[in-house]
Amino acid sequence: MTSTETGTVGASDTSRIHNIGYRSYDGKRLGRGYARRSLYSQSLRGSFGLGRSAKSKVLPMLLFGVMCMISAIIVAVAIATPGTTALPIKYTAFAIYLQAVIGLFLAAQAPQSASRDLRFKSVPLYFSRPIERVDYVVAKLAAMASALFILTGAPLVILYVGALLGKFDFVEQTKGFGQGLVSVALLSVLFAGLGLVMAALTPRRGFGVAAVIAVLTISYGAVSTVQVIAWQTGSEGAIEWLGLFSPITLIGGVQTAFLGANSAFPGGEGPGAGAGVVYLIVVLALVAGSYAVLMRRYRKVGL
């Protein structure tokens, strides 16, 4: 006699298999590479507010517009001025002059990319299996560096196209444009690493914003002040080495040494090739160190 006939519930009633329509997946397994690219794409779009609320788009798009508008004004003035044969600003100098805009963009978007994930312990994507820590860190670093490269590279494209339309020397402009792209690429990678490290140290977005601004602004102000003091007191030899202690002066030193840029250091004396190698090593060490710190940070929080 079965359990149904006796009115009792047996073990077999609790272990029945019900067909509710689920199907097995027979398609291609996309793997870690696809997951990494998806996280990269989502993070890059998020840096400009795409896929987020309208309010989130205002600041990054405004800053991007400011960068492009300034470059367009420079081109318009150069073309409209009779007898002008070159742009009034070097391609390598553009990002240095607009470092405040770049710093504000990084301060706003690095915490959005890193701090929110730490605070809510989730990402806006669904993965069928957990991603590796290295995939997450690489995707976030690449996305932030790409966002900064777009922010700083697009104005250079406007300058270059405008210079060609103004019939300025093609070889000179192309060389300067190439040097400018190398410069902003290096700046983007360095700033992305430092910005994400500062943002990842705290799940609070406000603290992340303050930390990024402090690293970029306070360090530059302190280094510039000490360089001026060194110049005024006759210690010109120390000026180039003081530039090693600020991200923006590091980029400026590499530009001066290898990319034909004019030095913004007091007295106009930037590092030569020998000191420039040291500058480049320090930049690469900071990028590698940022990656290592991020890996350690996300291992600590359990990713």
Side-chain angles (χ1 to χ4, degrees), residues 7 20 78 80 88 118 124 128 138 140 142 161 177 185 201 227 251 262 266 268 284:
I20 58 177
L118 286 172
S128 59
V138 168
K140 288 292 183 177
V161 172
F177 177 61
L201 292 178
Q227 283 181 323
I251 298 299
N262 295 328
L284 296 177

Side-chain angles (χ1 to χ4, degrees), residues 260-272:
N262 295 328
S263 176
F265 291 176
E269 293 294 331

Side-chain angles (χ1 to χ4, degrees), residues 78 80 88 109 144-145 157 163 199 223:
Q109 301 311 314
M144 183 53 61
V157 173
V223 167

Side-chain angles (χ1 to χ4, degrees), residues 37-64 104-117 123-125 139-140 142-148 150 196 205:
R37 290 193 299 272
S38 298
L39 183 59
Y40 165 80
S41 175
Q42 184 271 331
S43 300
L44 177 58
R45 286 165 49 84
S47 296
F48 291 96
L50 303 177
R52 300 167 58 201
S53 65
K55 183 175 67 174
S56 301
K57 297 178 176 65
V58 174
L59 182 60
M61 290 301 182
L62 178 62
L63 296 176
F64 180 74
L104 185 58
F105 179 90
L106 180 64
Q109 301 311 314
Q112 181 276 138
S113 182
S115 299
R116 291 200 314 167
D117 294 353
V123 295
L125 296 173
K140 288 292 183 177
M144 183 53 61
S146 298
L148 288 171
I150 293 172
L196 287 178
R205 184 173 180 179

Side-chain angles (χ1 to χ4, degrees), residues 72-90:
I73 292 173
I74 291 173
V75 167
V77 171
I79 294 177
T81 303
T84 302
T85 59
L87 294 172
I89 182 175
K90 282 193 172 185

Side-chain angles (χ1 to χ4, degrees), residues 194-216:
L194 295 176
L196 287 178
V197 165
M198 294 299 103
L201 292 178
T202 173
R204 297 291 180 179
R205 184 173 180 179
F207 292 158
V209 171
V212 174
I213 292 177
V215 167
L216 296 181

